[in-house]
Amino acid sequence: MATNCTDYDFLQIEPHWQKLWSDSAAFRTPAIDPSKPKYYVLDMFPYPSGAGLHLGHCENYAITDILARYQRAKGKNVLYPIGWDAFGLPTENYAVKTGRHPREVTIENVATFRRQLKAIGVSYDFEREVDTTDPRYFRWTQWIWLQLFKKGLAYVEEKPVWWCPALGTVLANEEVIDGVSEVGKHPVERRPLRQWVLRITAYAERLLNDLKLVDWPDSTKRMQEAWIGRSEGAELLFALENSALGDLKVFTTRPDTVFGVTFMVIAPEHPLVDALTTPAQREAVAAYRKQAAAKSDLERTDLAKGEKTGVWTGSFAINPANGQKIPVWIADYVIMGYGTGAIMAVPAHDERDYAFAQKFGIPVIQVIEPDHAEGRNGHGTTKLPFVGDGRLVHSDGYSGLGWEEAKKKITADLAARGRGQATINYKLRDWLFSRQRYWGEPFPIVWVNEADYAAATVHAKAAGAALPLPAAPVTCVIEGETRYALPVPEASLPLTLPEVTSYQPTGTGESPLAAITDWVDVWYDAATGHAVPAAQARPAAHYVRARRETNTMPQWAGSCWYYLRYLDPKNDAALAAPEALRYWGGPDIYVGGAEHAVLHRLYARFWHKVLFDLGVVPTPEPFTKLFHQGIILGEDGEKMSKSRGNVANPDDIIRSHGTDTLRLYLMFLGPLEAMKPWNPNGIEGVHRFLQKVWRECVERDTGAPHPKIVDDASATPADLAKLLHETIKKVGDDIEGLRYNTAISAMMIFVNAWQKAERIARRDVLSFLQILAPFAPHLAEELWARIGGAALAPSVGLAAWPAYDPAKLVATEQKVVVQTNGKKRAELLLPVGASESDALAAAQAHPDLVPHLAGKVTKRIIYVPGKILNIVIG
RNA sequence: GCCCGAGUGGCGGAAUGGUAGACGCUUUCGACUUAAAAUCGAAUUUCCGAAAGGGAGUGCGGGUUCGAGUCCCGCCUCGGGCACCA
């Protein structure tokens, strides 16, 4: 089935094999077979943008394709799927600009991606494609969300969120970089809006602890740890001087310094601000709050390096440790979102508190004495602020204690008096989970009033429909009226998007969906999910007036669980069948960029754990092994970008050199995890290598097998046979260790030696083609067919991976380097297992060594058999 | 500021504590050719030397070791992440 070209015509060969693979469904995932080991290779699925595939995609997919082809040859049942993360802003923005439907644009972009992926020869099972915008897919996204909702993990809150006037939408924290939008770099401001929020903080402890269960790059684990940001400390209650106001609760990691508290600080948004502000301070406080609210995150960050600002409330609190009266200030260096939004300030032992105290003339009381000299000035006094460890001073009843011990004791003593308790705090915040956009999954709930909520749930129950109701109803206030979130019945999913004529943001902060009155305001049947526009007559008495949720889910929603859908992508009864979940489990390796190290992987882990708790998935962690490929930079060493004009296009390279060359070169550039610049010159090198393989296999002019390839199994010279087995071993080891660059160089070394041999056994050529096949599958397939591989297997990919013969790897002689005082002087060829005295005798007789040893005393001999003989002389 | 990672020829890079620079690119010379391309062969860290040979050399400064690119300590530079988190 080979082509009939006589030279290496990749333009003919590559499409030829791609068509054969496609027509024969060569990469269809094998059926579940518990007797066979499985291997699941997962790529970070792409966002199908209009720009098509870039080199970064090619790198990512070449890495996984090589693994998938290798594991198939090793006899594993391989699942190697692909899909489309197709909801999201760029498509919607394009739709706004062109007036085309985002679905239409998505379908077009997906077609481009699919064609390009086939053109790079990646062995995906395209029959398992998933598309997050397909209702048959997002039905299950909505289903999972309903489970979260039912568990009380979803709630609604009026939140100050990032509002981007230019985009006309709300952005998540991660979409705001340095105070401007990530997309388009527009300025952003704070604006309170009604939002869905997911209670990821309820899983903080498990998300942190279970990092122990996964084999991830250390840096990624540390990034997640830092993001979760666990800190141990205590919540302490400071009574307010105006006892009618109760207590001020603070979080501190340093309860040992409680005797050094000289003021309190609360965040400008703290709920007690108004109550604590005395009439004399009212004006100053109002001005300060206004000023703080106007600051963008960028300004706050910049100011973090500069001066502290703040204003006194006029009120006092009482230190529970010593009864002292201390002023309560407002300052924006305390943030409402962390801890309790209030702190006890200990200027002597905290840099921020110190800076604040200096600026506002607040006393500084030292309560920790350093154990070591580093904390002291020249004349023996402590350098303040001192944040290191030490012993307590000026702390009645605790002075002299070590700080660790004092933390425990003070916390316990205050707890005994009901003035505090040990707690753990996390930096992780709940997950803002709604967008005011059209192109996303609709939330499968409707808003109804209290009476209708009661009536609707009763009706649904009577009608036999199980609604995923949370224990406590989720409510919010819309236009002055309290509304209840009523989930749609699971059986009515998917809740699809209505058609709209304009994708333009409403500009009010609401999604374009809000403008589709017929969809939004409805008569609604809670038992079936059926709805008719509210403008029509009420169909029946059990229909209630409902308003749909007009927010949509963020892009993360679909990407949080796609790796599960691949296991059983066409199942309409469940997100995946239990047998599929049990057999395939999670991906054996997940390859993707480090840019998703924190958010995507954290969110997916959260959903996975919820599904684990529900018994839907059998494992506590979704991604046991993770690998980040390095970014391919432009020739200039800068990130590839259109504006820089340094983008290399894969299509051009496929046309000029072929995809085998492109793949091989991408893998040869350097370590897969390293960030590396694209260098178009080097591509000739690997292309030459492939041409050389062709020339060694195919006779020029005729296209027949090369005459030096013979059937005599012993035709291959012994040293070439040995090299082949070394190469087979190295390539296998390097693929498993993801060190493809050295695997390729080993194959180059083999081919260089093969070229010098006069004869080679056919079986050895075929073995070589097999190890080349994962990297350059088209060429390997073509040559396999021409050299007679069909006698072994119809396709090179279907032949069992060649075993290397350990007996062939054993040498009879070994090179030993002779050194004097660690300097190389000569090389010896010694029989394997030569003793130290033999080696030394041979060395002493070596002409290169004689002058170095003459007249010197040998002090010591270090002999590492097969490696080195070091003669230490004096 | 804090936490990671990385610094090796003209370039990309290789090297279980054991010959630094594999493999590839680049450049030069040679063979083949009327010529060119392609291909093949040789050279390609640097200094001294005609050569044989010798010295230096993996960001900088120390250390451990018979032996350090690799391990330890202190710096410098670049890249990534976090950043008023109490």
Side-chain angles (χ1 to χ4, degrees):
Chain A
M1 288 201 293
T3 68
N4 50 18
C5 44
T6 53
D7 53 359
Y8 176 33
D9 183 359
F10 49 85
L11 288 178
Q12 202 182 323
I13 292 167
E14 291 177 352
H16 172 78
W17 290 101
Q18 283 160 11
K19 183 166 187 314
L20 278 176
W21 292 332
S22 190
D23 291 351
S24 64
F27 307 121
R28 179 181 289 153
T29 311
I32 291 173
D33 177 358
S35 70
K36 247 181 127 182
K38 64 95 188 183
Y39 195 86
Y40 176 7
V41 195
L42 181 68
D43 279 310
M44 181 76 220
F45 67 165
Y47 178 77
S49 74
L53 280 193
H54 53 69
L55 280 180
H57 290 120
C58 296
E59 184 196 20
N60 193 154
Y61 307 147
I63 292 171
T64 51
D65 185 49
I66 288 164
L67 260 184
R69 288 174 183 270
Y70 170 75
Q71 294 292 353
R72 285 189 200 107
K74 292 288 274 187
K76 302 268 178 67
N77 249 2
V78 170
L79 172 59
Y80 182 42
I82 186 71
W84 321 106
D85 186 15
F87 274 130
L89 266 183
T91 304
E92 182 160 354
N93 288 342
Y94 184 78
V96 166
K97 219 161 51 190
T98 59
R100 298 177 60 198
H101 196 292
R103 184 177 306 116
E104 201 185 299
V105 176
T106 299
I107 288 170
E108 208 171 274
N109 291 347
V110 162
T112 306
F113 265 67
R114 192 185 296 117
R115 181 181 54 71
Q116 287 186 303
L117 286 172
K118 290 193 172 182
I120 61 173
V122 193
S123 62
Y124 290 127
D125 178 358
F126 283 96
E127 292 169 16
R128 289 196 180 225
E129 267 180 53
V130 301
D131 173 348
T132 56
T133 68
D134 180 347
R136 286 183 65 192
Y137 179 91
F138 72 65
R139 163 185 187 168
W140 298 104
T141 310
Q142 291 172 329
W143 182 86
I144 297 170
W145 184 86
L146 279 179
Q147 310 313 307
L148 284 137
F149 176 78
K150 187 179 175 183
K151 283 191 77 155
L153 293 170
Y155 61 97
V156 170
E157 205 171 78
E158 186 93 352
K159 288 200 105 163
V161 293
W162 292 115
W163 166 252
C164 178
L167 295 173
T169 188
V170 167
L171 300 173
N173 281 337
E174 56 271 17
E175 292 167 320
V176 178
I177 311 264
D178 292 336
V180 295
S181 64
E182 190 184 14
V183 178
K185 308 265 177 283
H186 303 293
V188 297
E189 60 194 46
R190 288 279 187 192
R191 185 190 266 205
L193 267 182
R194 185 176 61 78
Q195 301 287 342
W196 281 97
V197 185
L198 296 185
R199 216 179 293 279
I200 190 172
T201 51
Y203 281 72
E205 188 81 42
R206 285 166 68 189
L207 288 168
L208 185 67
N209 288 339
D210 287 356
L211 285 172
K212 288 193 212 77
L213 306 178
V214 298
D215 173 15
W216 287 11
D218 277 347
S219 59
T220 306
K221 283 194 189 185
R222 265 190 292 266
M223 276 160 68
Q224 289 221 348
E225 276 165 17
W227 192 263
I228 297 167
R230 181 184 200 270
S231 56
E232 281 181 26
E235 275 179 2
L236 304 181
L237 292 176
F238 282 61
L240 290 163
E241 191 189 31
N242 175 356
S243 55
L245 294 176
D247 295 322
L248 185 58
K249 193 198 270 181
V250 302
F251 173 74
T252 178
T253 55
R254 297 293 305 272
D256 54 312
T257 62
V258 71
F259 288 87
V261 176
T262 54
F263 60 105
M264 315 282 293
V265 183
I266 61 176
E269 305 85 11
H270 196 281
L272 282 174
V273 165
D274 285 332
L276 283 170
T277 304
T278 57
Q281 292 296 99
R282 192 129 314 200
E283 216 168 292
V285 167
Y288 184 73
R289 287 182 89 180
K290 204 175 156 198
Q291 182 199 328
K295 278 185 201 168
S296 71
D297 248 16
L298 182 63
E299 286 168 317
R300 267 179 92 143
T301 308
D302 279 351
L303 289 165
K305 290 158 195 148
E307 284 218 341
K308 293 279 178 286
T309 60
V311 62
W312 182 37
T313 58
S315 297
F316 292 90
I318 311 296
N319 186 332
N322 57 13
Q324 251 173 30
K325 196 169 111 176
I326 45 182
V328 180
W329 288 68
I330 298 168
D332 65 2
Y333 80 91
V334 171
I335 37 191
M336 198 55 225
Y338 181 75
T340 63
I343 63 159
M344 58 176 226
V346 186
H349 304 292
D350 181 279
E351 285 171 13
R352 294 148 304 180
D353 296 348
Y354 187 82
F356 194 87
Q358 290 290 299
K359 171 148 181 196
F360 294 100
I362 300 169
V364 177
I365 299 173
Q366 184 191 344
V367 290
I368 302 284
E369 187 67 29
D371 285 334
H372 312 289
E374 302 94 80
R376 300 205 182 87
N377 292 315
H379 35 86
T381 57
T382 303
K383 261 184 277 182
L384 294 180
F386 172 72
V387 298
D389 57 353
R391 307 203 150 265
L392 271 65
V393 293
H394 307 129
S395 302
D396 288 345
Y398 303 93
S399 293
L401 287 181
W403 73 332
E404 288 296 354
E405 197 188 344
K407 271 182 200 178
K408 289 189 195 118
K409 199 152 189 289
I410 291 176
T411 305
D413 291 350
L414 287 173
R417 288 167 36 210
R419 305 312 294 165
Q421 59 173 5
T423 50
I424 293 160
N425 243 298
Y426 296 92
K427 285 182 199 171
L428 184 67
R429 312 292 165 81
D430 276 342
W431 175 13
L432 179 72
F433 194 74
S434 46
R435 300 292 183 271
Q436 290 62 48
R437 282 278 163 168
Y438 173 77
W439 196 227
E441 301 87 346
F443 284 89
I445 60 112
V446 294
W447 293 104
V448 296
N449 68 27
E450 185 174 7
D452 285 347
Y453 185 79
T457 51
V458 167
H459 165 72
K461 201 173 172 190
L467 296 186
L469 294 169
V474 173
T475 63
C476 76
V477 177
I478 300 175
E479 288 157 8
E481 198 194 346
T482 301
R483 300 296 191 114
Y484 284 62
L486 180 66
V488 306
E490 287 176 13
S492 73
L493 296 176
L495 174 62
T496 54
L497 287 163
E499 297 302 317
V500 299
T501 46
S502 161
Y503 310 98
Q504 212 64 245
T506 55
T508 61
E510 282 194 279
S511 119
L513 292 174
I516 311 172
T517 315
D518 279 355
W519 182 79
V520 174
D521 292 312
V522 290
W523 292 110
Y524 175 78
D525 177 353
T528 62
H530 180 254
V532 300
Q536 295 179 15
R538 186 178 195 171
H542 63 267
Y543 277 69
V544 294
R545 261 309 285 274
R547 183 180 166 80
R548 291 204 191 270
E549 174 58 65
T550 57
N551 286 318
T552 52
M553 298 188 197
Q555 202 180 347
W556 306 110
S559 65
C560 261
W561 70 281
Y562 73 108
Y563 60 95
L564 295 172
R565 189 61 177 172
Y566 283 142
L567 308 186
D568 194 6
K570 297 189 173 77
N571 194 328
D572 284 326
L575 60 83
E579 312 85 81
L581 286 159
R582 260 197 312 274
Y583 179 70
W584 294 110
D588 292 84
I589 187 162
Y590 188 12
V591 177
E595 69 273 19
H596 295 112
V598 178
L599 296 173
H600 161 61
R601 263 119 209 177
L602 195 65
Y603 295 156
R605 292 179 64 216
F606 166 46
W607 278 33
H608 193 91
K609 285 183 183 306
V610 173
L611 292 173
F612 175 70
D613 291 347
L614 289 168
V616 175
V617 297
T619 54
E621 280 291 325
F623 312 125
T624 47
K625 189 176 164 76
L626 193 57
F627 182 81
H628 302 303
Q629 85 277 16
I631 304 171
I632 308 269
L633 302 170
E635 281 179 61
D636 50 5
E638 300 286 335
K639 254 193 177 155
M640 283 196 189
S641 73
K642 266 192 212 144
S643 57
R644 279 207 186 81
N646 61 352
V647 180
N649 183 341
D651 286 339
D652 296 343
I653 299 158
I654 291 171
R655 265 193 298 276
S656 60
H657 292 85
T659 184
D660 280 341
T661 296
L662 171 63
R663 293 164 50 122
L664 201 67
Y665 185 52
L666 282 168
M667 300 299 97
F668 185 63
L669 269 178
L672 301 179
E673 65 277 14
M675 187 189 277
K676 42 208 175 263
W678 175 251
N679 174 2
N681 298 327
I683 200 157
E684 294 298 340
V686 292
H687 190 60
R688 251 172 251 170
F689 163 69
L690 293 180
Q691 281 177 314
K692 201 183 285 186
V693 173
W694 176 272
R695 282 197 313 270
E696 289 304 311
C697 288
V698 176
E699 198 181 32
R700 246 188 88 129
D701 304 327
T702 67
H706 198 290
K708 81 199 246 184
I709 302 171
V710 297
D711 280 317
D712 176 3
S714 61
T716 310
D719 49 349
L720 186 63
K722 175 166 177 268
L723 182 59
L724 174 64
H725 283 265
E726 285 168 353
T727 307
I728 291 169
K729 177 172 185 341
K730 174 140 183 78
V731 169
D733 291 349
D734 281 354
I735 290 176
E736 293 189 19
L738 295 169
R739 294 178 301 265
Y740 295 175
N741 56 334
T742 51
I744 294 165
S745 89
M747 289 190 283
M748 287 172 166
I749 292 169
F750 173 76
V751 173
N752 287 343
W754 168 11
Q755 195 177 23
K756 292 181 178 71
E758 294 190 359
R759 297 202 312 157
I760 185 166
R762 185 183 310 275
R763 188 62 191 86
D764 289 340
V765 173
L766 293 173
S767 291
F768 173 77
L769 291 176
Q770 284 184 265
I771 61 172
L772 177 66
F775 299 87
H778 310 81
L779 175 64
E781 199 80 282
E782 173 79 14
L783 294 175
W784 179 265
R786 288 177 183 237
I787 302 301
L792 294 172
S795 154
V796 63
L798 294 172
W801 190 256
Y804 62 89
D805 180 355
K808 285 232 167 62
L809 299 185
V810 178
T812 52
E813 288 192 311
Q814 282 179 328
K815 205 191 285 180
V816 172
V817 170
V818 185
Q819 302 176 326
T820 57
N821 293 344
K823 266 197 192 313
K824 182 192 168 187
R825 298 301 177 189
E827 279 176 14
L828 297 174
L829 212 50
L830 296 174
V832 169
S835 69
E836 182 175 318
S837 52
D838 292 347
L840 187 61
Q844 283 165 338
H846 197 285
D848 287 351
L849 253 97
V850 172
H852 290 285
L853 296 175
K856 300 281 169 53
V857 182
T858 301
K859 289 183 174 168
R860 194 171 160 187
I861 307 284
I862 287 99
Y863 178 54
V864 183
K867 284 265 166 66
I868 210 146
L869 176 71
N870 189 9
I871 305 171
V872 185
I873 51 181

